[in-house]
């Protein structure tokens, strides 16, 4: 009986935490700068200059079209196997990243 009294509050707490609205900003955000910071900046740097010595390109100087970069982000490219893919990002999120990335060209 004593074990049930301890287990019931723990079980209820566990069940109710699934009802909270603490969504991961990475999966719901559509802010290009925020998404770039979360997914791209670690390798390509915040300013998009990359890391020449590590072979990471300056993505702010890409010659790819917006649609090509969206596909690269979400699906990858066999010719760039070291570039990770982000299939969990929506097309809208990937487009927001590209819009932000292309804005770095003029800075």
């Amino acid at each position: 009986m004593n074990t049930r009294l301890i287990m019931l509050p723990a079980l209820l707490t566990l069940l109710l935490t699934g009802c909270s609205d603490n969504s991961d900003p990475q999966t719901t955000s559509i802010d290009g700068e925020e998404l770039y910071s979360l997914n791209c900046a670690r390798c390509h740097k915040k300013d998009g200059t990359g890391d020449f010595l590590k072979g990471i390109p300056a993505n702010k100087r890409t010659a790819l079209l917006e649609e090509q970069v969206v596909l690269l982000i979400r699906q990858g490219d066999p010719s760039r196997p070291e570039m990770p893919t982000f299939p969990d990002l929506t097309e809208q999120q990937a487009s927001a990243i590209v819009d932000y990335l292309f804005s770095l060209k003029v800075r």
Side-chain angles (χ1 to χ4, degrees):
M1 178 77 173
N2 217 2
T3 306
R4 283 187 182 167
L5 290 176
I6 293 172
M7 295 292 287
L8 184 60
L11 181 60
L12 286 174
T13 301
L14 191 61
L15 290 172
L16 291 176
T17 54
C19 297
S20 70
D21 191 26
N22 291 335
S23 302
D24 181 4
Q26 184 175 359
T27 59
T28 60
S29 176
I30 55 169
D31 179 88
E33 183 174 6
E34 179 182 352
L35 290 164
Y36 181 89
S37 293
L38 288 169
N39 296 289
C40 312
R42 185 173 70 238
C43 295
H44 293 285
K45 296 187 182 175
K46 182 155 179 64
D47 62 358
T49 57
D51 190 334
F52 177 77
L53 295 177
K54 291 183 180 178
I56 299 171
N59 60 2
K60 78 176 195 176
R61 290 194 293 268
T62 185
L64 297 174
L65 300 173
E66 180 176 345
E67 302 82 31
Q68 293 172 310
V69 180
V70 168
L71 286 174
L72 178 62
I73 291 169
R74 296 187 69 226
Q75 299 175 9
D77 181 348
S79 69
R80 295 176 174 95
E82 61 285 337
M83 167 73 181
T85 59
F86 301 90
D88 292 339
L89 292 174
T90 66
E91 190 162 335
Q92 182 182 17
Q93 289 172 314
S95 290
I97 290 172
V98 174
D99 288 344
Y100 173 73
L101 174 63
F102 283 14
S103 79
L104 294 176
K105 288 182 178 186
V106 295
R107 292 183 184 181

